Amino acid sequence: MARDHTAATGVTKGHVGGIDLELTWGACVFRARGTSSSTYTNATGRLSVAGVPGELPVVASTNCGVAMPVGAGLLLKADYLLKKTGTTTVPTIVGSAP
């Protein structure tokens, strides 16, 4: 969800919502659900996901002990380069901050 678009820089701040991850690490299996902060840059088509503590809590954990207990926070960090389907054109967000 876009929350703040700065037309002069082409950068939009917001979050990626509806995240539901189940991860397996050896015998440890855990699930995290929530949102993660993000920015999108029109010039490059880069969606940068950079979570902050508390956004993506672990909601279930099996055989993880203290390594990943329920309530722990998972930090999601990733960059994605976006293109319009079937093209080399990056999507552009337009508008103004309220």
Side-chain angles (χ1 to χ4, degrees), residues 41-97:
T41 305
N42 284 341
T44 60
R46 181 179 306 268
L47 175 64
S48 294
V49 180
V52 297
E55 290 182 324
L56 200 56
V58 173
V59 296
S61 180
T62 304
N63 298 322
C64 299
V66 296
M68 197 56 67
V70 170
L74 187 67
L75 290 178
L76 184 60
K77 297 200 182 283
D79 285 336
Y80 301 93
L81 295 176
L82 305 181
K83 303 273 191 232
K84 292 182 181 180
T85 303
T87 74
T88 59
T89 306
V90 300
T92 302
I93 296 174
V94 296
S96 60

